[in-house]
Amino acid sequence: MGQIIKRQRPVIAVTGSAGKTTTKEMIAAVLQRRWKIFKSPRNNNAPSATRRHARMLRPFYRAVVLEYGMQFYGNIKRHCQYLQPSIGVITNVGRAHVGNFGGRISGVAKAKSEMIRYMKPSGTLLLNADDPSSALLHTKGFKGKIITVGIRNKADLKATHVHYKNGGMSFKVELDGAQHSFYIPILGEHNIYNALFAVAIAHGLGISTQQIQVGLKTFERSKSRLVVHRLGRNVKVIDDAYSSNPDATKAAIDVLSTIGTNTRIAVLGSMLELGKHTSKGHQEVGRYAAAKNVSHLYTLGGTAKQIAVGARGAGFPANRIKSFASKQQLQKALLRKLEPGTTILIKGSNRLRMSSVAKYLKRNAGKRK
């Protein structure tokens, strides 16, 4: 894969429809094993935040790790004007905010491509080889280096031996002709891609394999991002309520299908900012749930009823689907379902504040007779 040239302090920027914050945190956790770095806090990823971060940089920072959020055309261009990345990561191109781009995935790809156009022309760009929509990115004419990561397709950096292990994921990567094992303390195959970006960047910057392993193993995940709460009697609640779009929801359903044992309940809230894609996106998630190892499907919110429509249409038993207008009704229904061995996934757009459902279950699980 080779070295990423580091004559000056690397400015690393992460954008994408899903996985931005997790990828940024993983990169930062690895690089700070060796250097003092600046990273954007939490998910402060608006262009105005990047302008603020640019003023906070000091000479003693050896690397800069930032998250570039995007809701409209021109957003990433502005980010790059405030702080021009020498290393750019586009995690994937999905349906987050697709409603702001005429409901077209090509519009999202065009907006994400501002990273390629406005980062340093001689820089390094990292892309997801397994994400079909990343093929829509405007890479033609980019004069820098492109590194791809993947699990299934041909890629410069490829994960093998991917397993769920001890509440996280283990995988192997070949670096400089030798196989190395890595572990991340977060569930989901989709998080392997986030880790691969961190491995690729750190290795390219000369960070040792051991430092990369320790950094990934100890990175701190954000709240309400696939956090598993164990409530006793083998009851598990997967809180992934931080944000939601069709691709992220499918990834969360995969986790529920894999770690759930007896009864698996998917609690899915409305996905916002899908625009013209709203009905289609929700129904697509319902069909996906119907094809997976899900026992019951509960929805919350008006547009989330379309998830139920999609699931029923794909053959999911109607008597195992319930749609709720209020959080209180949903919480009471879930409390009644807390039999031993139940696993509940909670997923929805951040504005729905669905992590409060997980907190309710934690508080009241012991009161259930």
Side-chain angles (χ1 to χ4, degrees), residues 255-310:
V255 173
L256 172 66
S257 296
T258 305
I259 74 163
T261 46
N262 300 344
T263 304
R264 300 171 177 88
I265 304 174
V267 182
L268 306 179
S270 299
M271 297 176 285
L272 308 177
E273 297 183 340
L274 295 182
K276 293 176 187 173
H277 196 74
T278 296
S279 289
K280 186 180 173 187
H282 284 79
Q283 288 183 26
E284 181 184 310
V285 164
R287 288 193 297 273
Y288 192 82
K292 289 289 176 174
N293 207 351
V294 175
S295 314
H296 298 270
L297 174 64
Y298 290 2
T299 71
L300 176 67
T303 52
K305 287 181 182 175
Q306 291 297 318
I307 298 175
V309 170

Side-chain angles (χ1 to χ4, degrees), residues 179-248:
Q179 287 276 331
H180 298 276
S181 297
F182 297 90
Y183 172 82
I184 51 174
I186 188 169
L187 295 167
E189 189 181 86
H190 59 293
N191 281 310
I192 300 287
Y193 296 97
N194 303 334
L196 285 172
F197 288 123
V199 173
I201 289 170
H203 179 70
L205 292 173
I207 306 292
S208 74
T209 303
Q210 186 186 15
Q211 287 171 321
I212 299 171
Q213 288 166 327
V214 174
L216 287 179
K217 197 174 181 179
T218 57
F219 107 98
E220 290 185 29
R221 60 188 171 192
S222 306
K223 289 179 182 176
S224 298
R225 292 182 192 267
L226 284 171
V227 176
V228 180
H229 303 285
R230 298 175 191 277
L231 309 188
R233 301 188 309 154
N234 199 26
V235 173
K236 296 190 284 284
V237 175
I238 307 167
D239 182 359
D240 197 32
Y242 183 77
S243 64
S244 193
N245 61 62
D247 304 309

